[in-house]
Amino acid sequence: CIGGTDIAQVVVRQSGFKQAAAMRMLVRPLRPLRNALTSPRRDWKLPARWVRNALWIMGGASIPESWTAEPVTPGEIPEAVLPAPANQFAVASRSPALFEYMLKCPTARFQLWLLRQRGEPRGYFLLSFIPGQARVADAWVTSPETESWRALYALAIQAALKDGSTAEITAGTTLPEACAGALACGFRPSSELTVMLYDPMGKLAGVNKMHLQTMDNDISFLHNNRLEYVT
């Protein structure tokens, strides 16, 4: 269980769930002027928000020369780049069938990208598009270094900008190195969600790190069919 209302949190705790991790939500402007012109919050703070967002993205998110990304179908994602568990490290299961399922979502448009370094597959990211916003629904790199995650998020920003309707991009992660990579690309923390785990048999008792993304909840596609910017 990821996030939820205060009442929902009480219910899941009383049902035997225990806190297992925290998901940091992050956001970055993409097009400050579009944000300002279409923002439903039209008050005296609007000019200040536009200036802040314009300054926020100055310098951009540079993409390392050896890294590229290309849109692919789920069947083109190599199994070797899917998340894999390790000692004291748990991941949510991923498969081409799951990506196919997400691409059929009726409320948000999803797009899958394969990440390469020097031409070799190194990971992927899945973007969802709702009114005015792109969301990193899922992401993974085979090398855990912050620099690899920075390359991923920089390429995700570039991919999101290819859609002319986006004014901002959001992401969520439970991994410190992924969070650091996003911050290096100009993302900033917007909130933090508690990850609750029901594990009465202690199957994950030895786990001290967990990889979850917004695709593991309804965060990747849930919206009210109207513009609601975070920035």
Side-chain angles (χ1 to χ4, degrees), residues 12 21 97 117 138 180 197 202:
V12 297
Q117 184 183 29
D138 192 28
L197 175 68

Side-chain angles (χ1 to χ4, degrees), residues 26-45:
L26 306 126
V27 65
R28 182 189 187 277
L30 291 175
R31 295 183 174 91
L33 182 58
R34 182 177 183 84
N35 183 315
L37 293 177
T38 61
S39 175
R41 294 181 293 166
R42 310 198 69 81
D43 53 25
W44 64 271
K45 296 181 181 179

Side-chain angles (χ1 to χ4, degrees), residues 45-62:
K45 296 181 181 179
L46 182 59
R49 287 199 301 270
W50 173 73
V51 172
R52 179 203 61 187
N53 290 346
L55 293 174
W56 185 339
I57 65 171
M58 285 184 65
S62 61

Side-chain angles (χ1 to χ4, degrees), residues 13 44 54 67 91 102-103 115 118 142 162-163 206 221-222:
R13 289 179 188 276
W44 64 271
W67 290 83
V91 302
M102 298 306 295
L103 289 175
L115 195 67
R118 299 184 182 90
T142 55
K162 293 180 183 297
D163 187 297
F221 60 84
L222 189 65

